[in-house]
Amino acid sequence: MWFPESCACCGLPGRSPCSSCTRALRPAPAAPVPHGLDSLGALVAYDDAARPLVVAVKYRNARSSLRTLAPAVASLAPRLGPHAVVTWAPTTGARRRERGFDQARVLAELVGRRLGRPVVGLLARTGTGHQTGQGRASRLAGPTFVVARRRVPTEVVVVDDVCTTGATLSAAAATLRVAGAQEVHGLVLARTPERRVAA
């Protein structure tokens, strides 16, 4: 059965996000590159305007939104060497079974296609914990990953949906570097603005 597309932000029928909601999205804030990455490209700020979009991507499999935004995410990649591959920071097995998909993998496949690079599942997540809803201290402890392939290319682009503290991408980068990666770049749909501490 065919279901008409609608904007993940406002619900209006048509392209997602619609032109009006796209204009409301703010560019990702300038912030330090998470430890272990050579670069990080982030498309939009994870704020009130972007939250409905990210929630739809994360929990409702809003692939039409990812198809719309993936070219812009891919355009943030640095100049890559000839053997670079694209991978993703996988969610937990429980989350994947619950949702029926892994949003980071979906985005990685679209980004890899745009970049003309192979998309390879290089990482597996260990444990059952997840980052969503955790406090900053718990997030900074980060998830843990293991390498899912015998060989890891020397240059890897890791795709994820949101960068909050950077702990997930740092953990992924550390695992890949131990396995032989020499350059690790990150690409995300959204980045959380840094909290400012009042003087």
Side-chain angles (χ1 to χ4, degrees), residues 55-179:
V55 167
V57 164
K58 208 174 186 77
Y59 300 107
R60 299 199 300 273
N61 201 7
R63 293 179 188 233
S64 62
S65 299
L66 291 180
R67 284 193 297 271
T68 300
L69 297 170
V73 174
S75 73
L76 301 173
R79 187 178 181 88
L80 300 172
H83 304 297
V85 304
V86 175
T87 193
W88 65 93
T91 188
T92 64
R95 286 287 200 197
R96 190 172 57 252
R97 287 188 295 273
E98 176 187 323
R99 299 172 187 166
F101 65 97
D102 184 330
Q103 72 279 358
R105 179 176 183 170
V106 174
L107 180 57
E109 289 170 346
L110 293 166
V111 166
R113 190 178 309 153
R114 185 73 176 189
L115 293 173
R117 303 292 172 148
V119 180
V120 184
L122 296 176
L123 297 167
R125 195 158 179 163
T126 60
T128 57
H130 51 82
Q131 298 286 84
T132 305
Q134 298 296 315
R136 182 172 176 80
S138 297
R139 283 180 176 274
L140 286 172
T144 54
F145 297 100
V146 294
V147 174
R149 297 271 177 149
R150 292 185 65 180
R151 296 184 63 186
V152 169
T154 56
E155 188 174 12
V156 182
V157 177
V158 182
V159 175
D160 203 2
D161 54 356
V162 178
C163 176
T164 302
T165 63
T168 297
L169 290 168
S170 291
T175 302
L176 291 167
R177 287 186 186 278
V178 168

